[in-house]
Each structure stands twice: as C-alpha cells, then as structure tokens.
C-alpha cells in the first residue's frame, strides 16, 4: 500500500505550489496542511529542519526543499514531467533553478524600500524574462507540447504578475511575446489554476499592502 502524503503548505508560497502542481499532474492524492509561518506550530517545526514550506511528509519521513520533493515525486510516481533524455533533463533542472532565482528577485521587487532598489529589481526581472524569451520555442509550454516541471515552477511565478498588473505597469514582461503566450497557457492549466485557494489574490494583496515597501506605497495609490 502506498504511504499517505501530507504537504505542509502556506497559502502564498510559490515553492509549495510547485509541489502541488506536480502532485496534481501525476494524479496523486495528498492532504494539504496550511502553516502560519509567522507563528510556526510545533508539529511543523518538528518536520521542517529549515522552518520553511513546503515539506512533503511521506508516511513517517519528511522530505524538504521543493526541488527535492519534485525529484522524489518524479522517481516514485507515474506520468513523468521530466524529459527522458539526460541532457534535456539536466537543462530543465537548470531552468527550475533559474525560476528560483526569479522568485528571489520577485521578493526583492516587492520588499524594496527605496526607488533605487525597486528600479534595480524591476530591471533584473526584466533581464531574466528577456533571457527566457530567447530560450522559449513555439510553445505552448516551456519545451513544446509536454507540460514539464519547468512549467510547474513558472506557473506560480506568473501568478504574481496578475496582482502586480493591478498595481501598475512595470514593463517587466513587455515586448516578450513568447513569455506572454507561455504565461497565458500556464494560467489556464488546471493543475496551475487549482494550486492555490480562491482567496489567493486577496491574501497576496493584503500581504503586499503590509510590506511597508515601495510597492505598498503604490498599492495605497490604487486602493
Ligand atoms: N529553497 C526552498 C525555499 C522555500 C521557502 O523559501 N519557503 C518560504 C515560504 S514561500 C518559507 O517557508 N519561509 C519561512 C521562513 O523562512 O521562515 C524550497 O525550494 O523549498
């Protein structure tokens, strides 16, 4: 009998979403347990050595770090989301790492306190998406027709922009037709759409509003 899977989650965490998307794509049943990261419960700290979500509890074993969770699911569950070819697979892993670096710039973008840092983060994001524009083919997904783990990593990234677009025009995805088409495809993929709860936009808005950042100032202007 397969072991029960529990995904320790946070409502806004993009790394959690990667795991939820992969589980859904593979048709694997799992239970999601939400954690208050500002007041981490004991059960969570007991299974999360870094105190971060996601953690996938497999029976009595805790697997942490989203990319490790993705690889574990790939090794143990059907419906592969990595390519067969080892070199292609390595390339996909590289772009998932790139996705983590984009997430770090997104954090810098919404947390920036001053105009200069905000501008630097906007430019860094724009450059990263320009790089992606060069790599993308004809779609609809990162590497053609097959939805892959790279798509699972970027669905949550593009989701931020649905909210950023309501705050202002930052030009980050401008003149990047392949990136734009990819974003649209990922938004309608059921596994991506259902990786967050329906109140995600409201929760993200209120999280960003309270950051005391340059972006919070801009939110105050549109609110
Ligand atoms: N490298 C980690 C990053 C996970 C991460 O940063 N999780 C955030 C939420 S999105 C977290 O748990 N932060 C709480 C903390 O650092 O105390 C992964 O890929 O799983």
């Amino acid at each position: 009998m397969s072991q029960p899977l529990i995904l320790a989650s946070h409502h806004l965490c993009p790394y959690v979403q990667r795991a939820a998307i992969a589980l859904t794509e593979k048709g694997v049943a799992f239970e999601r347990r939400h954690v208050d990261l500002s007041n981490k419960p004991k059960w969570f700290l007991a299974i999360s050595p870094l105190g971060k979500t996601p953690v996938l509890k497999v029976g009595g074993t805790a697997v942490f770090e989203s990319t490790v969770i993705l690889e574990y699911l790939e090794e143990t569950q059907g419906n592969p989301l990595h390519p067969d070819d080892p070199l292609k697979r390595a390339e996909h892993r590289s772009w998932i790492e790139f996705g983590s670096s984009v997430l770090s710039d997104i954090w810098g973008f919404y947390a920036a306190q001053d105009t200069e840092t905000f501008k630097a983060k906007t430019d860094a994001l724009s450059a990263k998406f320009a790089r992606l524009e060069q790599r993308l083919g004809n779609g609809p997904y990162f590497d053609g027709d097959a939805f892959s783990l790279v798509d699972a990593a970027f669905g949550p990234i593009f989701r931020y922009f649905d909210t950023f677009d309501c705050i202002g025009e930052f030009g980050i995805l401008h003149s990047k037709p392949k990136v734009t088409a990819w974003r649209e495809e990922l938004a309608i993929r059921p596994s991506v759409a259902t990786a967050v709860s329906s109140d995600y936009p409201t929760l993200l808005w209120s999280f960003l509003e309270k950051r005391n950042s340059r972006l919070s100032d801009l939110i105050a202007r549109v609110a």
Side-chain angles (χ1 to χ4, degrees):
M1 200 180 84
S2 58
Q3 313 214 59
L5 301 181
I6 298 171
L7 185 65
S9 303
H10 178 267
H11 286 287
L12 295 176
C13 180
Y15 300 97
V16 165
Q17 292 173 49
R18 293 174 170 185
I21 292 167
L23 284 157
T24 306
E25 287 289 337
K26 288 172 176 296
V28 177
F30 67 103
E31 183 195 332
R32 215 160 156 156
R33 277 195 202 155
H34 289 288
V35 175
D36 178 356
L37 287 172
S38 61
N39 183 19
K40 298 172 186 169
K42 277 200 186 115
W43 70 264
F44 171 65
L45 288 172
I47 61 164
S48 180
L50 296 173
K52 291 177 193 265
T53 58
V55 176
L56 184 70
K57 198 155 173 266
V58 186
T61 306
V63 182
F64 57 100
E65 283 297 311
S66 62
T67 50
V68 179
I69 294 171
L70 294 181
E71 295 294 338
Y72 168 73
L73 293 173
E74 209 50 23
E75 284 179 13
T76 56
Q77 306 289 342
N79 193 12
L81 298 169
H82 258 330
D84 280 347
D85 177 67
L87 182 56
K88 271 247 157 255
R89 206 156 56 235
E91 193 213 0
H92 278 218
R93 288 184 177 122
S94 303
W95 283 103
I96 293 168
E97 280 303 313
F98 188 84
S100 298
S101 154
V102 172
L103 282 173
S104 156
D105 287 336
I106 286 178
W107 179 84
F109 172 79
Y110 69 62
Q113 303 276 321
D114 56 274
T115 317
E116 217 168 66
T117 313
F118 186 73
K119 167 90 172 65
K121 286 296 163 188
T122 306
D123 292 347
L125 281 167
S126 186
K128 286 217 166 88
F129 283 105
R131 193 73 197 226
L132 268 164
E133 181 74 16
Q134 287 172 8
R135 168 58 185 79
L136 289 170
N138 294 328
Y141 297 115
F142 173 74
D143 219 357
D145 288 333
F147 184 94
S148 71
L149 289 177
V150 184
D151 297 290
F154 275 87
I157 288 175
F158 288 123
R159 200 190 310 279
Y160 278 105
F161 287 85
D162 299 341
T163 296
F164 295 159
D165 284 351
C166 299
I167 302 170
E169 178 45 80
F170 305 108
I172 295 169
L173 305 179
H174 253 192
S175 304
K176 297 175 180 99
K178 289 180 177 175
V179 167
T180 301
W182 187 30
R183 173 188 178 182
E184 284 164 8
E185 282 298 333
L186 292 181
I188 55 169
R189 182 85 179 181
S191 64
V192 174
T194 59
V196 292
S197 50
S198 55
D199 56 354
Y200 172 92
T202 318
L203 292 173
L204 181 60
W205 188 268
S206 127
F207 170 78
L208 296 173
E209 216 170 17
K210 292 185 196 127
R211 297 290 314 183
N212 252 334
S213 68
R214 175 85 189 108
L215 197 68
S216 315
D217 295 344
L218 297 175
I219 289 180
R221 288 191 201 164
V222 294

